[in-house]
Amino acid sequence: MRYLLLIYGNEAEAAKMSPEEMQAEMTAYTDFTEMIQKNGAHLSSEALHPVNSATTVRVRDGKVLTTDGPFAETKEQLGGFYLIKGENLDEAIAIAAKIPGATTGSIEIRPVVEWD
């Protein structure tokens, strides 16, 4: 089974991090990524630019409408993701709990639809 682990955090709080704190967080993410690569769970992962770079697209009555920014205002913003493979939800939860951002934000786990 594949699971998408969506990493949410507070961009405003992250912007207050010292260079040393930012380096420690990046090291923690590198270590985490290497760990799930070694155990065979890692399929893909990416970090995202800040939410102010987002564009939302809607089509209404055949017209394309764009809005700067995300669809909804939230306290936590989507900052990146991991696509993993796991035996079940329990395994996905165990992996998600090790993502460094889980200690200050939240990780949303979404099973990926497997089309036959």
Side-chain angles (χ1 to χ4, degrees):
M1 185 84 186
R2 292 179 299 156
Y3 295 92
L4 188 61
L5 309 180
L6 301 164
I7 305 165
Y8 289 91
N10 185 314
E11 287 181 359
E13 292 300 314
K16 297 176 187 176
M17 294 173 75
S18 70
E20 295 80 15
E21 290 170 322
M22 182 59 75
Q23 182 58 48
E25 182 161 312
M26 290 300 104
T27 298
Y29 270 98
T30 298
D31 292 347
F32 170 77
T33 303
E34 288 175 357
M35 186 256 316
I36 64 171
Q37 286 171 335
K38 286 179 185 171
N39 76 15
H42 183 266
L43 296 174
S44 180
S45 55
E46 295 291 344
L48 301 175
H49 283 280
V51 72
N52 65 4
S53 68
T55 301
T56 299
V57 176
R58 294 176 182 82
V59 178
R60 301 293 185 268
D61 298 321
K63 294 181 183 176
V64 176
L65 307 170
T66 62
T67 306
D68 290 341
F71 174 72
E73 294 291 325
T74 61
K75 291 182 181 184
E76 294 181 329
Q77 296 79 36
L78 179 61
F81 70 88
Y82 283 91
L83 179 62
I84 64 163
K85 60 181 175 181
E87 291 297 316
N88 52 45
L89 180 58
D90 289 338
E91 185 176 350
I93 291 169
I95 292 170
K98 294 176 184 169
I99 295 175
T103 62
T104 57
S106 60
I107 311 301
E108 179 182 348
I109 301 172
R110 299 281 300 270
V112 176
V113 174
E114 302 292 348
W115 302 103
D116 292 327

